[in-house]
Amino acid sequence: MRSFINVQDIGPLEKALAEAQEIKNDRYKYQHLGRNKTLLMIFFNNSLRTRLSTQKAAMNLGMNVIVLDVNAGAWKLETERGVIMDGDKSEHLLEAIPVMGCYCDLIGVRSFAGLTDREYDYAETVLQQFIKYSGKPVFAMETATVHPLQAFADLITIEEYKQVARPKVVLTWAPHCRALPQAVPNSFAQWMNAADVDFVITHPEGYELDPKFVGNARVEYDQRKAFEGADFIYAKNWSNPGVTNPEDYGKITSKDMSWTVDTEHMSWTHNAKFMHCLPVRRGLIVTDDVIESENSIVIPEAANREISCSVVIKRMLEAL
């Protein structure tokens, strides 16, 4: 596996899930693969779970790890072509990327959407430059449009907690005080479409995700109807994707607090498990009683980030 961005990169999900369970049973089984190999983790944005879980996964596999926080530990980087660099950015990615590639065997990149230029964000401009110019295998640690390590961990968690062969999984929009990217819901939708689940997306009108991620999912604008009979509720905010109105891209066009997941919402379900990628704004996305309930699986979900990343790094090491 030369790159990991979308669900197609992981191959058959049954095999990937079996591999995840194998690694979960023995996290150090493949330490020999990473011996004398180095992972470079590059962060253009803040992180807690991604940084810790990815570093832990790489160490479990015997790798050395270098962490570069671009905003705190490096020259400010220019990402645009054709600019006159007379501002505060001292180095261009076109030089920085191949230099980075000299010091490692694998590269993980985390770079969020700017939420001002949809075309730029959805072209994955920053990530694609790493793939093109680093000379090394590259995987996404969340990008402008996707977060595949999170979605893989979500699928692992659903497989572990499901009570029926084909559970009903609902991705629900919830209100937020800041404009957030669509990366997590995009990837979650993509991975759920590839899995054997009954998948429903619910959100206010105008918040439609890009069709290439929605796929064959059912879109239901009535949140209560969407929740009925659900086995898993995945709550997540996203800013307006600009699908129906490009001028709205990256904006907050709804703050409807009736979409906040509370006990009443969960009572509409089939005793559903509550999921969220974290960090979560309590009182906006979800109420305290729901996220602290026995049906909340946000902590096991976060723990599985180490497992999903271990599978991805293992496969990349095997391909070197």
Side-chain angles (χ1 to χ4, degrees), residues 54-71:
T54 307
Q55 187 165 355
K56 180 65 164 60
M59 292 168 65
N60 291 352
L61 291 163
M63 298 191 76
N64 301 311
V65 180
I66 301 172
V67 179
L68 177 62
D69 183 341
V70 171
N71 296 314

Side-chain angles (χ1 to χ4, degrees), residues 64-252:
N64 301 311
V65 180
I66 301 172
V67 179
L68 177 62
D69 183 341
V70 171
N71 296 314
W75 300 111
K76 289 188 177 180
L77 296 176
E78 178 59 66
T79 61
E80 298 280 358
R81 281 182 169 274
V83 298
I84 297 174
M85 292 175 59
D86 58 355
D88 64 344
K89 296 178 180 178
S90 306
E91 186 162 7
H92 202 288
L93 269 184
L94 293 179
E95 286 78 59
I97 290 173
V99 169
M100 293 175 191
C102 295
Y103 306 139
C104 64
D105 300 280
L106 303 180
I107 298 177
V109 179
R110 183 175 177 93
S111 179
F112 291 174
L115 296 180
T116 57
D117 185 336
R118 191 180 194 279
E119 184 177 352
Y120 181 90
D121 288 343
Y122 273 71
E124 290 291 3
T125 307
V126 173
L127 179 68
Q128 290 301 328
Q129 289 185 77
F130 276 91
I131 292 173
K132 186 174 181 179
Y133 298 114
S134 70
K136 298 296 166 67
V138 175
F139 63 93
M141 300 191 301
E142 188 168 2
T143 70
T145 67
V146 293
H147 197 350
L149 290 173
Q150 179 66 54
F152 186 14
D154 296 335
L155 178 58
I156 294 169
T157 307
I158 289 170
E159 284 295 307
E160 291 176 336
Y161 282 88
K162 70 181 184 181
Q163 298 296 312
V164 295
R166 192 170 187 269
K168 181 178 179 180
V169 179
V170 177
L171 169 64
T172 181
W173 179 92
H176 204 280
C177 56
R178 295 179 57 222
L180 299 183
Q182 299 100 45
V184 169
N186 281 346
S187 277
F188 187 74
Q190 187 182 58
W191 284 68
M192 289 304 104
N193 274 313
D196 187 18
V197 301
D198 177 12
F199 182 48
V200 179
I201 303 173
T202 184
H203 54 71
E205 291 192 37
Y207 270 80
E208 291 79 10
L209 296 171
D210 191 295
K212 71 179 181 181
F213 296 111
V214 174
N216 296 321
R218 287 186 288 130
V219 177
E220 174 56 64
Y221 297 108
D222 184 330
Q223 192 184 28
R224 178 166 188 156
K225 186 175 180 181
F227 273 45
E228 290 175 356
D231 299 291
F232 293 90
I233 297 296
Y234 197 106
K236 184 69 180 78
N237 173 266
W238 60 89
S239 61
N240 196 303
V243 172
T244 56
N245 186 356
E247 293 182 358
D248 287 336
Y249 176 64
K251 296 179 181 178
I252 297 173

Side-chain angles (χ1 to χ4, degrees), residues 215-284:
N216 296 321
R218 287 186 288 130
V219 177
E220 174 56 64
Y221 297 108
D222 184 330
Q223 192 184 28
R224 178 166 188 156
K225 186 175 180 181
F227 273 45
E228 290 175 356
D231 299 291
F232 293 90
I233 297 296
Y234 197 106
K236 184 69 180 78
N237 173 266
W238 60 89
S239 61
N240 196 303
V243 172
T244 56
N245 186 356
E247 293 182 358
D248 287 336
Y249 176 64
K251 296 179 181 178
I252 297 173
T253 51
S254 175
K255 292 185 178 180
D256 188 349
M257 293 292 289
S258 70
W259 285 76
T260 300
V261 179
D262 59 16
T263 302
E264 181 183 357
H265 284 71
M266 295 302 288
S267 72
W268 304 336
T269 73
H270 183 238
N271 195 33
K273 301 295 184 183
F274 176 81
M275 302 179 70
H276 188 279
C277 61
L278 303 181
V280 65
R281 299 262 185 161
R282 292 186 179 214
L284 287 175

Side-chain angles (χ1 to χ4, degrees), residues 11-23:
L13 288 183
E14 297 82 0
K15 184 177 180 181
L17 288 167
E19 205 166 329
Q21 187 57 56
E22 179 189 25
I23 287 174

Side-chain angles (χ1 to χ4, degrees), residues 15-30 56-57 60-61 152-162 275 297-312 314:
K15 184 177 180 181
L17 288 167
E19 205 166 329
Q21 187 57 56
E22 179 189 25
I23 287 174
K24 199 164 190 176
N25 291 338
D26 184 356
R27 295 164 200 247
Y28 307 102
K29 182 176 181 179
Y30 295 101
K56 180 65 164 60
N60 291 352
L61 291 163
F152 186 14
D154 296 335
L155 178 58
I156 294 169
T157 307
I158 289 170
E159 284 295 307
E160 291 176 336
Y161 282 88
K162 70 181 184 181
M275 302 179 70
I297 54 175
V298 297
I299 303 304
E301 180 184 0
N304 276 331
R305 290 291 305 280
E306 176 189 345
I307 306 305
S308 65
C309 193
S310 295
V311 173
V312 170
K314 170 184 173 288

